[in-house]
Amino acid sequence: MKFVGFKLIFIIALSLMGSVVNSEETSDFKLPTNFKPISYELNVTTYLEDKFVFEGVVGIRMTCVEATDTIVLHSTSLNIDTKSVVLANGGENVIPVSSVSFDPDKEFMHVKSTVNFKPCDEFVLTISFTGNLTDDLVGYYRSSYVDKESNQTRWLAITYFEPLGARRAFPCLDEPVYKAIFKIRLSHKKGLTSISNMKFMNQINCPSNSDYVVDEFEESPPMSTYLVVYMVSDFVYTEANSENDQVNYRIICKKDLANQTEFAINLGPKALKYHEEYFDEKFPLHKQDMAAIPDFSSRSMENWGLATFQESGLLMDLDVTVIDDVYEIAHLIIHELAHQWFGGIVTMKWWTGLWLNEGFAEYAGFRGVDFLFPESKYFQVENVKNFLLVLDQDSLQSAHPLAVAIGKPDEIAPISADPITFAKGPILLHMINTFLGENTFKQGVRNYIHKYKFSNAEQDDLWCSLTEEAHRQGTLDKNLTVKQIMDTWTLQTGYPVLNVIRDYSAGTVTLSQERYLSIKSNGTDNKTCWWIPITMTTSGDFNQTNPTFWLNCENNNLTTPLAKDNEWVIYNMQMTVLFRVFYDTQNWMGIICTLNDPTKYETIPTLNRVQLILDSLSFSQVGDMDYEITFQLLKYLKHEKEYTPWFAALSGLVMIDDLLKRTPNHAVFQKNMRDMLSCMYSKYRNMDEKVNGYENIQLQNLVIYRACDYQTKDCIQRVLDLFRKWMKSSDPDNNNILPKELKDTIRVRAIQYGGEEEWNFLWERYQRSKSEKNDIIYALGCTSIESLLLRFLNWSLDETIIPRKFVSILLYSVTTNEAGFLVAKEFLYCKIADIYEYYQRQGDSLGKYVDYIASQMKTKEELEEFKSFIIKSSCYFKEPDVVINQITETIQRNIDWTSKFYNKIVPY
């Protein structure tokens, strides 16, 4: 699965919010271990258009592990005739079933026998079932689209099973550890087609219905239920000229979008080959499909042999797609294909391992884009964005460990939707790669895949494989293990700050660590410490990323020699490890002197410039360092040419901008920001001039976006002129005259500073758009006209106007809009019942709405008002106390900053 990819602004906002999951891993909601499945024979008939139901029969061959008289499996939202449940010994001798019962809370189905099952005995449990094809986007559900040629609604049925959806489609042992072989047959109406995980074998006429056919698919290798997939539709297939003749690669989508498959069909086989070589393991299936679904709750899903995507996550019109989306789609494809190994071939035992499953797919996705598009520097850019997000979110008291203990089923969804799950993992894996070395890391991963192929594993198994290889190659001390190191990073909450205190007279430096918190607690957190690989330089050699020593709990106050005449020392070469670095003032001033020299600043590499910016802004934010020092450092940006340092700086300054909104000092801050951006903006102000290169395009977008946001008059006028020129064009949908790479920025700022005419024009473009609806929704939420914002929020409760999948981006856009905050807050207060009723099927959409609003609040009065609202509306929240704790921490951080720095920040 891939967490929904967010644009720059969404990433920044998420980094300012916390998430809370408190649990201890229990077995109460896990299946008993008396049985394990061997294979499933699954027969499903799908009825579309007339009654939207499915019916089926599943035969589960299983073996007894511990003596019992009861089989327990999962089933929910299914209709099961208990009299049809049949239990047979070896498929021949029927064993009487004494009772069939259900536990709705645990979603268990109990089949009790009249005899005791003995260990090693095999049985076949056969169950008939029916269910509704709902529009819930989970389980086996229905979706639709309007055919362009006939203008008729076409229906399809598709599964989405991660994490707990398979039990909604057929009775099964719905936990990742219970891998089994699947033999699937799908019955459907003639004229439609079906696909599943495995390769199609043959089709026969349905014996009981002459209008229906039965499709049979190959038997699968052992796999987990959440990776099972099947679909019935009238979609078309585009087949690749595969570089691997043994694997048939196809893109599957609506007929009218088939002309947008070229990029994916060319990239997929190359990505498969890349992963085969990286993992040193051939792709085990005979085909790999990728399907674009009109209504899909996740950005993408890695079902084995048939990955599914939102249409905008897989398809693209090469003539209009911007480079940012090109690389994001490439990343999604490579991410999901990496899952075919890291998730498909080797699967986590339980959802506590979700971070590793997703983290490795993300890491492989970033690396894969860099490999297949070497000019992109995609890994560096995305790694910086991940650092920004994790450094902020993980600094909250309410943060949670990366490996979260999962006790109840409803605790899985918040983790699977948590950005930390996807962002922190790649950072830590890159750290391991760096301190072990590329060769050791890669071979250790290969050993892990080979050892646990077609089975289940957990993070300790990977740590063991990496340790064994590191000891064999001599890249890790024999007395040290990867588990010893990584448990401190995955099982503990947060990350450290490395305190660097120099004694200039003695020629020494003392290093110590503590947890970094954005809101200071009453006492120092001495309970947590990390194994930190220490790299440093005083000479400008930043390429030495192998640690010279480790800082840990046993040597947490370490003094080492350092020459007296060194102007400065910098730790964490190439920003490879997740920690902040706090220097003494004299060291900061030495660094600032080098940065502000246009002939020397590049001697400090890009990623270390990024970390210096992020750390200085954060230390100033919590009061550990004067903002005056930070702003002296940021003056160097007048000669900075690269994207990631500008991204780091402007992202950090967004927090200040947000907290000054709706205050008298906001205008003064905006003027200072216009001054900071003036040189860079003058370079990019000609928006019609084409810029080449991924990072340069990103930088152009960032500078123009922010220059307009900070009310640079020239920028606003140029944006409005271009947008209005587009409005006057004869065919605005097919002839978008906006500069291709700047169209998102121009749309957002034109709506912000334009009027109702501009808004209505863009709304019409949204209705006709094929691939840009998400981006247009965001732009429409940026208007400054309150009546339009209120109307837009009301429309978010009507799926016939705005589909549910756009709800989150709409709420975020309106809530964080300066003009929209009060509108969004009052809308929540007045419409909480309607919002809850409408969004409850969307998981945590209400929680996100609350987070978005809380992140904008900054006074004690607002905090008390919001807490009172949550208490009064507690029936709409699963854990109101947790929500209150979370918003209190977020708002209190804003209150503390405002009380300390509001009158100091502007005169810089």
Side-chain angles (χ1 to χ4, degrees):
M1 180 180 67
K2 179 65 174 73
F3 177 60
V4 176
F6 297 104
K7 293 291 186 181
L8 163 67
I9 307 305
F10 217 172
I11 293 171
I12 294 169
L14 283 171
S15 72
L16 300 177
M17 302 170 195
S19 59
V20 179
V21 177
N22 294 314
S23 174
E24 292 185 4
E25 197 167 301
T26 69
S27 59
D28 290 349
F29 284 79
K30 284 187 180 182
L31 292 173
T33 58
N34 304 92
F35 282 88
K36 66 178 181 180
I38 300 170
S39 64
Y40 291 79
E41 284 208 15
L42 178 61
N43 299 275
V44 179
T45 302
T46 303
Y47 299 98
L48 284 167
E49 298 180 349
D50 45 5
K51 41 187 179 177
F52 298 120
V53 297
F54 60 91
E55 62 184 22
V57 178
V58 62
I60 311 172
R61 181 175 293 276
M62 55 183 69
T63 184
C64 181
V65 178
E66 300 172 12
T68 181
D69 64 354
T70 303
I71 298 172
V72 184
L73 64 162
H74 288 108
S75 178
T76 187
S77 304
L78 295 172
N79 300 310
I80 295 173
D81 180 0
T82 57
K83 295 179 182 178
S84 71
V85 177
V86 177
L87 187 60
N89 182 353
E92 299 173 0
N93 302 319
V94 174
I95 300 173
V97 173
S98 63
S99 67
V100 177
S101 60
F102 299 89
D103 183 342
D105 289 339
K106 296 183 180 180
E107 301 179 342
F108 284 173
M109 175 179 177
H110 298 263
V111 179
K112 190 170 184 178
S113 170
T114 57
V115 300
N116 281 325
F117 304 111
K118 298 190 299 294
C120 299
D121 286 350
E122 286 191 12
F123 304 88
V124 176
L125 177 63
T126 303
I127 305 171
S128 299
F129 57 89
T130 63
N132 294 317
L133 291 169
T134 69
D135 59 355
D136 289 348
L137 308 185
V138 294
Y140 192 29
Y141 71 92
R142 71 177 186 264
S143 180
S144 66
Y145 70 96
V146 177
D147 180 66
K148 299 295 182 182
E149 294 181 3
S150 65
N151 201 33
Q152 292 182 340
T153 299
R154 303 290 191 193
W155 292 95
L156 62 139
I158 177 70
T159 61
Y160 184 85
F161 287 165
E162 187 178 25
L164 310 173
R167 64 190 69 177
R168 294 172 172 266
F170 60 95
C172 57
L173 286 80
D174 195 16
E175 292 174 10
V177 73
Y178 293 113
K179 280 189 163 185
I181 294 166
F182 280 82
K183 178 72 174 181
I184 295 176
R185 299 178 187 88
L186 301 175
S187 302
H188 57 82
K189 196 170 185 178
K190 291 178 179 177
L192 301 176
T193 57
S194 68
I195 51 175
S196 186
N197 302 87
M198 305 305 294
K199 191 174 182 179
F200 171 81
M201 287 180 61
N202 64 286
Q203 184 179 90
I204 61 172
N205 290 322
C206 182
S208 60
N209 190 332
S210 60
D211 291 333
Y212 277 63
V213 291
V214 181
D215 294 340
E216 184 176 8
F217 299 88
E218 283 183 339
E219 192 174 82
S220 77
M223 66 177 177
S224 302
T225 49
Y226 82 92
L227 294 173
V228 174
V229 62
Y230 40 92
M231 179 171 79
V232 173
S233 71
D234 66 349
F235 284 5
V236 297
Y237 305 157
T238 304
E239 191 166 339
N241 295 319
S242 178
E243 295 179 16
N244 184 342
D245 294 334
Q246 294 180 337
V247 180
N248 185 25
Y249 181 84
R250 302 182 301 180
I251 304 297
I252 300 163
C253 65
K254 299 179 317 196
K255 182 179 178 181
D256 65 300
L257 294 179
N259 62 346
Q260 296 185 21
T261 61
E262 180 183 348
F263 180 80
I265 206 69
N266 289 331
L267 178 65
K270 297 175 184 175
L272 274 174
K273 183 178 179 181
Y274 167 76
H275 290 316
E276 284 186 328
E277 292 176 353
Y278 187 91
F279 294 116
D280 190 29
E281 181 71 43
K282 285 291 185 181
F283 184 65
L285 310 184
H286 293 136
K287 64 92 174 175
Q288 174 64 55
D289 292 331
M290 292 192 164
I293 312 301
D295 294 306
F296 202 61
S297 60
S298 176
R299 186 73 161 147
S300 52
M301 175 61 203
E302 68 266 22
N303 319 291
W304 213 10
L306 170 54
T308 42
F309 297 76
Q310 289 182 11
E311 290 175 339
S312 62
L314 179 64
L315 309 175
M316 73 170 75
D317 183 340
L318 294 172
D319 292 330
V320 300
T321 303
V322 299
I323 194 168
D324 198 28
D325 289 337
V326 170
Y327 287 131
E328 183 177 351
I329 290 173
H331 171 232
L332 279 175
I333 291 171
I334 299 168
H335 170 109
E336 300 306 351
L337 290 178
H339 270 309
Q340 307 304 302
W341 284 262
F342 222 94
I345 293 178
V346 179
T347 313
M348 59 193 165
K349 289 183 178 179
W350 180 239
W351 295 104
T352 299
L354 181 65
W355 83 265
L356 186 56
N357 194 38
E358 295 299 343
F360 199 96
E362 279 288 271
Y363 182 65
F366 296 149
R367 295 283 302 269
V369 173
D370 261 14
F371 179 82
L372 296 169
F373 303 91
E375 75 288 350
S376 69
K377 289 188 180 179
Y378 187 77
F379 178 82
Q380 177 173 296
V381 172
E382 293 304 310
N383 203 44
V384 167
K385 291 179 180 178
N386 280 341
F387 254 90
L388 173 63
L389 189 153
V390 175
L391 286 172
D392 280 332
Q393 271 206 9
D394 237 13
S395 68
L396 297 173
Q397 285 278 14
S398 58
H400 59 78
L402 186 57
V404 178
I406 302 293
K408 300 177 182 179
D410 61 5
E411 293 172 348
I412 301 171
I415 295 302
S416 64
D418 189 340
I420 285 287
T421 302
F422 293 81
K424 192 172 182 179
I427 293 173
L428 298 185
L429 290 165
H430 181 54
M431 178 181 82
I432 301 172
N433 187 315
T434 303
F435 71 68
L436 290 184
E438 172 72 20
N439 291 335
T440 299
F441 179 80
K442 183 188 288 187
Q443 190 57 52
V445 170
R446 288 174 171 178
N447 297 343
Y448 169 81
I449 295 289
H450 298 334
K451 183 175 182 178
Y452 297 100
K453 180 164 62 173
F454 302 132
S455 184
N456 297 83
E458 50 197 355
Q459 71 178 44
D460 282 0
D461 298 317
L462 178 60
W463 302 157
C464 184
S465 292
L466 290 169
T467 299
E468 288 174 356
E469 187 60 31
H471 289 168
R472 189 185 71 80
Q473 293 193 25
T475 54
L476 187 68
D477 188 285
K478 293 284 187 181
N479 296 316
L480 190 57
T481 67
V482 174
K483 174 178 170 56
Q484 188 177 355
I485 297 164
M486 295 310 300
D487 277 357
T488 67
W489 294 94
T490 62
L491 303 183
Q492 291 186 129
T493 302
Y495 61 87
V497 55
L498 180 70
N499 295 304
V500 179
I501 306 300
R502 294 176 64 178
D503 184 331
Y504 292 89
S505 60
T508 60
V509 59
T510 300
L511 305 179
S512 62
Q513 62 162 302
E514 60 186 298
R515 183 183 172 192
Y516 180 82
L517 291 169
S518 58
I519 298 178
K520 298 292 186 181
S521 56
N522 293 331
T524 303
D525 183 358
N526 293 317
K527 297 179 181 179
T528 53
C529 60
W530 290 259
W531 277 82
I532 305 176
I534 299 297
T535 58
M536 52 84 74
T537 188
T538 57
S539 61
D541 178 13
F542 285 79
N543 294 318
Q544 181 56 38
T545 54
N546 293 328
T548 52
F549 60 91
W550 295 80
L551 191 68
N552 56 50
C553 300
E554 296 174 1
N555 63 341
N556 193 26
N557 206 310
L558 186 65
T559 300
T560 60
L562 186 67
K564 299 179 183 180
D565 57 354
N566 287 129
E567 293 182 8
W568 47 258
V569 60
I570 290 178
Y571 285 82
N572 198 16
M573 300 302 91
Q574 301 293 342
M575 201 172 74
T576 55
V577 187
L578 184 66
F579 62 86
R580 297 193 185 278
V581 190
F582 184 77
Y583 302 104
D584 59 70
T585 300
Q586 185 172 334
N587 199 78
W588 274 114
M589 296 313 296
I591 292 169
I592 289 169
C593 184
T594 298
L595 284 175
N596 278 285
D597 185 334
T599 66
K600 293 182 178 180
Y601 82 98
E602 288 181 303
T603 60
I604 300 175
T606 305
L607 289 175
N608 283 97
R609 301 201 297 273
V610 167
Q611 175 151 32
L612 291 167
I613 291 167
L614 291 175
D615 288 351
S616 62
L617 279 165
S618 294
F619 293 136
S620 295
Q621 178 185 334
V622 298
D624 289 339
M625 193 166 97
D626 288 342
Y627 266 111
E628 182 180 349
I629 296 174
T630 295
F631 286 120
Q632 285 189 50
L633 185 150
L634 293 179
K635 286 179 181 178
Y636 104 90
L637 288 168
K638 62 181 177 287
H639 44 254
E640 177 60 76
K641 304 181 186 69
E642 296 200 45
Y643 168 65
T644 47
W646 273 105
F647 174 80
L650 293 177
S651 298
L653 292 166
V654 162
M655 186 279 298
I656 299 174
D657 183 51
D658 285 343
L659 291 174
L660 291 179
K661 284 176 180 176
R662 308 188 308 280
T663 73
N665 279 348
H666 192 218
V668 184
F669 176 79
Q670 288 194 315
K671 180 190 179 301
N672 292 339
M673 293 304 300
R674 290 196 295 271
D675 292 343
M676 176 184 285
L677 282 164
S678 60
C679 289
M680 189 58 73
Y681 172 69
S682 65
K683 178 180 178 180
Y684 289 120
R685 65 192 292 266
N686 184 358
M687 300 177 195
D688 287 317
E689 187 175 313
K690 187 176 180 180
V691 173
N692 295 315
Y694 176 58
E695 283 196 285
N696 289 332
I697 290 169
Q698 294 275 70
L699 181 55
Q700 180 192 36
N701 257 299
L702 177 63
V703 168
I704 292 175
Y705 192 96
R706 283 299 167 201
C708 282
D709 191 31
Y710 297 131
Q711 299 188 358
T712 303
K713 290 183 180 179
D714 177 71
C715 184
I716 295 171
Q717 193 57 54
R718 285 172 178 269
V719 160
L720 287 172
D721 288 347
L722 283 168
F723 192 86
R724 288 165 182 166
K725 184 179 178 182
W726 179 34
M727 291 173 65
K728 293 175 182 177
S729 62
S730 57
D731 187 5
D733 294 303
N734 297 311
N735 183 31
N736 189 334
I737 54 86
L738 299 180
K740 177 180 170 181
E741 297 296 343
L742 288 172
K743 61 184 177 181
D744 286 347
T745 290
I746 291 171
R747 285 188 302 223
V748 167
R749 295 310 176 207
I751 293 301
Q752 179 183 359
Y753 296 111
E756 190 166 352
E757 186 178 357
E758 284 78 13
W759 199 95
N760 289 333
F761 170 81
L762 192 58
W763 172 250
E764 189 174 347
R765 305 288 72 74
Y766 162 79
Q767 293 173 300
R768 299 181 183 183
S769 173
K770 295 179 181 178
S771 60
E772 298 183 300
K773 289 184 180 292
N774 199 66
D775 295 332
I776 294 176
I777 285 286
Y778 177 82
L780 289 167
C782 294
T783 180
S784 301
I785 302 172
E786 292 186 6
S787 59
L788 291 176
L789 291 166
L790 183 58
R791 183 171 73 183
F792 204 35
L793 286 169
N794 277 297
W795 283 355
S796 74
L797 299 178
D798 188 340
E799 192 165 22
T800 64
I801 303 177
I802 297 175
R804 295 174 193 268
K805 63 185 177 182
F806 298 132
V807 163
S808 189
I809 190 73
L810 184 156
L811 295 177
Y812 170 73
S813 179
V814 174
T815 305
T816 54
N817 170 356
E818 186 170 6
F821 167 70
L822 292 176
V823 178
K825 184 179 72 168
E826 289 305 313
F827 184 76
L828 176 65
Y829 289 177
C830 296
K831 296 268 192 171
I832 178 66
D834 295 335
I835 293 168
Y836 172 77
E837 180 64 28
Y838 186 73
Y839 293 158
Q840 60 179 331
R841 290 188 296 168
Q842 287 291 100
D844 199 32
S845 288
L846 180 58
K848 289 179 182 177
Y849 196 177
V850 168
D851 282 343
Y852 299 156
I853 290 174
S855 70
Q856 306 297 303
M857 291 181 165
K858 49 183 174 278
T859 68
K860 292 179 180 178
E861 292 75 17
E862 286 178 320
L863 173 58
E864 292 307 313
E865 171 194 299
F866 208 31
K867 284 168 62 176
S868 176
F869 165 73
I870 299 296
I871 293 170
K872 185 173 68 174
S873 309
S874 61
C875 60
Y876 302 113
F877 299 94
K878 287 183 179 178
E879 297 181 271
D881 291 340
V882 170
V883 175
I884 289 172
N885 290 339
Q886 184 171 331
I887 66 166
T888 298
E889 183 172 6
T890 299
I891 300 172
Q892 190 61 52
R893 179 170 65 168
N894 295 346
I895 292 170
D896 291 348
W897 186 92
T898 303
S899 65
K900 291 177 183 176
F901 303 115
Y902 175 75
N903 292 317
K904 298 179 181 179
I905 193 71
V906 172
Y908 70 83

